[in-house]
Amino acid sequence: MIIALTGTPGTGKTTICHILGKKYRIIDINRMITDEGLHTGRDEMRGSLVADIEALQGRLDELVKGETVTIIIEGHLSHYLEGSNAVIVLRTRPGVLAHRLEERAYFKEKVRENMEAEALDVILVETTLKHDMVYEVETTTSSPEDAAILVDSIIEHLAAGNFEQVERYLPGRFDWSEEVF
Ligand SMILES: Nc1ncnc2c1ncn2[C@@H]1O[C@H](COP(=O)(O)OP(=O)(O)OP(=O)(O)O)[C@@H](O)[C@H]1O
Ligand SMILES: [Mg+2]
């Protein structure tokens, strides 16, 4: 089974995968972009690389081919890729997300952009447009360990076909649209 773990930067994807790496095979999309040069160049305004989604898809297909273990594909672009059985979107209240991004010394504009994206459900909307099985996990007040346990339990239920056990994580629980503007 392949699970995509996505969410606005700072919601905790890498932290949670670090914990779950003992149990699952993790594919880090951001690392693939930088280490394998799967980009089309640099966006100077944003100071980031522009991912080559087609190249990423091709490389991902190679990496997961014939694999029988459960794999987590991690990164804020993982929902752009095909092949996952389900997508888990991490969610963090915008004010808390801003603190996390400020700690990383992100520019004010970048903090604001990500807060707004989180408040407006941008990644969730993108994900639900592309995928059928989508679940949301909040990481605002939980510890990384508890969030990892929750993500793990969702994956276990999905693998066992216990879909009713994960219904409470279906999209639509968060409305943070009033929090930023
Ligand atoms: N419940 C939680 N789950 C995950 N991370 C948490 C949680 N609570 C606090 N954090 C903190 O939030 C930060 C998340 O950073 P992390 O690099 O994991 O985010 P990310 O989603 O991978 O971002 P990016 O898309 O930029 O790679 C870490 O400093 C982590 O300790
Ligand atoms: Mg990360």
Side-chain angles (χ1 to χ4, degrees):
M1 191 169 67
I2 300 175
I3 302 292
L5 185 67
T6 189
T8 307
T11 50
K13 303 173 294 292
T14 303
T15 303
I16 287 173
C17 283
H18 193 70
I19 298 168
L20 294 181
K22 296 174 204 115
K23 177 165 175 183
Y24 299 107
R25 178 174 169 202
I26 309 291
I27 296 181
D28 179 339
I29 297 291
N30 290 338
R31 189 173 287 177
M32 275 168 69
I33 293 169
T34 49
D35 291 2
E36 302 188 33
L38 302 178
H39 55 81
T40 55
R42 183 168 286 279
D43 180 336
E44 295 300 343
M45 290 279 282
R46 285 165 186 268
S48 58
L49 295 170
V50 180
D52 182 341
I53 299 294
E54 216 174 294
L56 267 176
Q57 184 72 61
R59 183 71 182 117
L60 179 70
D61 292 346
E62 275 173 24
L63 286 173
V64 304
K65 199 172 173 194
E67 188 63 274
T68 51
V69 299
T70 298
I71 300 171
I72 304 177
I73 307 167
E74 164 302 88
H76 71 285
L77 300 176
S78 61
H79 62 286
Y80 286 1
L81 301 170
E82 283 162 22
S84 55
N85 302 94
V87 184
I88 298 175
V89 183
L90 297 184
R91 303 301 309 268
T92 304
R93 198 171 268 281
V96 172
L97 190 70
H99 284 303
R100 290 187 195 165
L101 296 178
E102 280 158 6
E103 273 175 23
R104 291 181 180 182
Y106 266 26
F107 288 121
K108 244 176 149 177
E109 294 74 23
K110 209 166 171 184
V111 172
R112 180 85 193 169
E113 184 181 282
N114 283 302
M115 272 178 86
E116 287 182 2
E118 186 62 357
L120 295 175
D121 306 328
V122 169
I123 290 201
L124 178 69
V125 171
E126 287 174 354
T127 303
T128 53
L129 286 172
K130 201 169 162 65
H131 300 269
D132 295 329
M133 300 262 280
V134 181
Y135 300 93
E136 286 186 288
V137 168
E138 187 177 4
T139 60
T140 306
T141 55
S142 56
S143 67
E145 291 73 21
D146 285 344
I149 289 168
L150 181 51
V151 168
D152 182 26
S153 77
I154 293 173
I155 295 172
E156 291 276 15
H157 284 310
L158 292 174
N162 294 329
F163 302 113
E164 69 289 353
Q165 298 284 341
V166 291
E167 272 175 9
R168 78 189 101 143
Y169 304 108
L170 286 171
R173 284 176 298 139
F174 309 109
D175 180 0
W176 294 324
S177 55
E178 305 287 316
E179 296 213 5
V180 173
F181 304 98

